[in-house]
Structures are given as structure tokens and as C-alpha cells.
Amino acid sequence: MTFTNVSRALCLTAFAAACAAPVHATSFTSSASSAGSASSGSVSDSIGASSNSSSDDKRVAAGEYRVIDVSQAPAKLDTTRVTLRAVAAGPAREFYLDLPNRALAERRVNAGELVQVNERVYGYEFAHADTKRPFFLALQDDWYRDLASRKVTI
């Protein structure tokens, strides 16, 4: 593992600890593990432009988004597709988020609810707007690649 990989791993570990800070000590483990690999994916695999979007730009802006639709992701087993539309005024910004079903095991998202999107150095953090508790991390592709498990041969 290179220095960059180590620093990225430490950053994500610190993120997991920060997510757990405002909750009770008994839920520290579950909060940290929910920010782990079970609830993360790469930006290119997780975020896509909606057919109703005003442009083909796949970039997501920080802010609140309303859940427009929740469905099974096409051709992706055990994956939920959540379609989100920006609440803020301006050009219509809409995109979909494909995430593993286990990312929503603790708490589902339903049509009409609000999701808070925060831009981070490693990608995007998706959280329930009412609790600010993250449920999914969309990691920039290079971060996702660097943190992937690799078979070690001796």
C-alpha cells in the first residue's frame, strides 16, 4: 500500500468515526461499519444522469434532493435505484443513484423524502436529510480502486 493509499484509508476511517461521534457509544460499531464497503461504491457505477435531467452532466452538486422514485436497478442484482431531484431553485438537476440493498438495510428511503448530498474530497456522501446520518458514499473512481481488496500472494 502506498502512502496515498494509507492516507485515503485513514481519511475514510476518520470519516466513519466522525459519523459515529454524535450517536451513543453502543452504536459506534454499527455506524462505523455502515460507512464501510457495504455502503460505498464508485461514482461511475453508482451515479447516472436521469432521462429527465436537463443535461448529460453526471456531476452532482451538494444540497438537498427529493426522492422521486425508488425501484430495483435494471440488470443489477440486489441493487436499488433512487432517482433524486434538486430542491434548490435553478436548472432542473436530476440523477439516479444505484446502491446496494444492504446500504438501506437500517433505514429505507421512500419517494417524497429528502436526501442531503455533501461533496467530500473522496466523492459524495448521501445522508437522510432529517438526521444527517450518512447511508452511502459514492467514492471517486481512483479512491474506490485504491481501497479495493486485493489478493495477497506470498
Side-chain angles (χ1 to χ4, degrees):
M1 199 182 264
T2 66
F3 179 74
T4 302
N5 293 346
V6 171
S7 64
R8 287 181 180 172
L10 289 173
C11 180
L12 285 175
T13 302
F15 167 77
C19 288
V23 298
H24 298 296
T26 57
S27 64
F28 175 80
T29 304
S30 65
S31 296
S33 66
S34 71
S37 63
S39 59
S40 64
S42 70
V43 167
S44 62
D45 289 340
S46 303
I47 299 174
S50 170
S51 59
N52 296 331
S53 182
S54 61
S55 73
D56 289 333
D57 185 9
K58 288 176 71 170
R59 296 251 332 142
V60 176
E64 282 193 338
Y65 289 79
R66 183 155 316 275
V67 176
I68 302 304
D69 186 50
V70 179
S71 61
Q72 168 65 40
K76 293 183 179 179
L77 188 62
D78 296 325
T79 303
T80 297
R81 175 166 287 181
V82 179
T83 304
L84 301 164
R85 181 179 298 145
V87 173
R93 180 177 289 278
E94 190 172 301
F95 65 95
Y96 66 82
L97 174 66
D98 287 347
L99 58 157
N101 292 343
R102 63 185 176 262
L104 299 173
E106 187 175 317
R107 179 179 169 192
R108 305 226 21 103
V109 292
N110 298 303
E113 290 183 19
L114 292 176
V115 170
Q116 176 67 42
V117 178
N118 298 306
E119 190 167 357
R120 305 288 188 213
V121 67
Y122 51 79
Y124 299 98
E125 171 193 83
F126 293 84
H128 298 282
D130 57 351
T131 63
K132 306 296 185 216
R133 188 164 184 185
F135 60 88
F136 187 72
L137 303 176
L139 304 173
Q140 295 296 343
D141 293 343
D142 57 337
W143 281 68
Y144 189 75
R145 256 189 325 273
D146 289 346
L147 293 174
S149 299
R150 291 177 180 79
K151 184 177 179 179
V152 177
T153 55
I154 298 177

